[in-house]
Structures are given as C-alpha cells and as structure tokens.
Amino acid sequence: MSDVPSSNGGPVYVGLGANLGDPERTLSAAAEAIAHLPDVELRRRSSLYAAAPIGPEQPEFRNAERWGPRVLDLDILLWGDRVVDQPGLHVPHPELQHRRFALEPLAELDPAARHPVLQKTVAELLAAVRDQPVQRLDSVLWRPR
C-alpha cells in the first residue's frame, strides 16, 4: 500500500499485490517505480501483509486483489474524495469495504481517510469487515516508510 499525493483530489492510496514469482521483490520494485514517476511523491508505504487468495486455488498473496494469480496487481483504492465510475476504472475500489487485506494496510497509513461513497472512515470499514486471514510480515525487501 502506498500513499501518493495528487495535485487534484487529495492523496491517492494504491494497493499493490503479487503472488507469482518473487512477490516481495516485485512489490518493492513496483513501489520504487511509482516513487520515480514524474510529479509523484511517495510519502509513505504500509507494512507488507500476507493474505489468503480469493477465487481459484492459487499461492498466498502478498497484499493483493482477487480472481487469479499474478506477478503484479495495482489498485487505486482511494483518491481523496473523488468518485470515478468508468469502464475499467472505479474509484474508490468497489470491493474495498469487503477486503481486510486492503483495509489493514490502508488503516496503517490513514485510519481517518473517508470512503467518499459510504461516508465511513477506513477504521470504521475495517471494524465492520468479516474475518479474513491477513498477517503482517517482516521483510528485508519491503520496509514501511
């Protein structure tokens, strides 16, 4: 999970995930690549979390999304108070309130961030989400900032 500020609409919270190849190395490289994008300042990143996959049988995720194995997954979870509903792009992420593996790292970064549709804080959403196995990890390749 990364907190990337935006010049129009507030901070952008990006969920990163992987469960193929070397997930921790992939996620670390992805966060560094995001940090080096023009006009982007990577302010913080959460701890690394392990989560059981949702959908078909597959390897355990390192903080990711649903429906199948992948080398890298990137989701825009929140973008300030913006709401985007276009083909292929939905912000806030339409399943955020149901995904402990997305809410845990987001709450670590900003528990007071508000879901612009549900009008609840991330902390409130996390408290209401059903139990899902999510484990905070220590990794030499991934360090929270």
Side-chain angles (χ1 to χ4, degrees):
M1 174 72 56
S2 298
D3 169 9
V4 180
S6 165
S7 62
N8 55 1
V12 178
Y13 292 98
V14 178
L16 300 173
N19 72 341
L20 294 179
D22 186 343
E24 292 174 28
R25 190 171 307 281
T26 298
L27 295 174
S28 183
E32 289 305 313
I34 289 170
H36 288 94
L37 290 171
D39 301 319
V40 169
E41 175 192 355
L42 179 65
R43 290 184 180 167
R44 297 173 293 163
R45 65 185 192 188
S46 70
S47 300
L48 186 66
Y49 291 80
I54 296 174
E57 188 169 324
Q58 56 189 302
E60 180 180 76
F61 269 101
R62 293 299 183 261
N63 197 26
E65 255 306 321
R66 61 184 179 144
W67 303 132
R70 63 204 64 191
V71 173
L72 180 65
D73 183 42
L74 182 146
D75 291 306
I76 300 173
L77 303 176
L78 293 174
W79 182 357
D81 61 358
R82 284 181 161 236
V83 177
V84 179
D85 191 14
Q86 300 177 1
L89 179 61
H90 305 282
V91 180
H93 190 283
E95 296 295 320
L96 176 59
Q97 67 273 17
H98 304 295
R99 306 288 189 234
R100 180 174 295 281
F101 58 80
L103 289 168
E104 288 276 352
L106 185 52
E108 182 181 332
L109 293 176
D110 191 353
R114 185 164 293 280
H115 192 292
V117 175
L118 302 175
Q119 293 301 309
K120 293 185 177 182
T121 66
V122 169
E124 291 170 327
L125 295 173
L126 181 57
V129 75
R130 63 183 172 86
D131 193 30
Q132 298 167 350
V134 175
Q135 178 185 4
R136 188 183 214 164
L137 300 174
D138 288 323
S139 170
V140 296
L141 298 174
W142 182 270
R143 293 285 180 225
R145 297 183 189 188

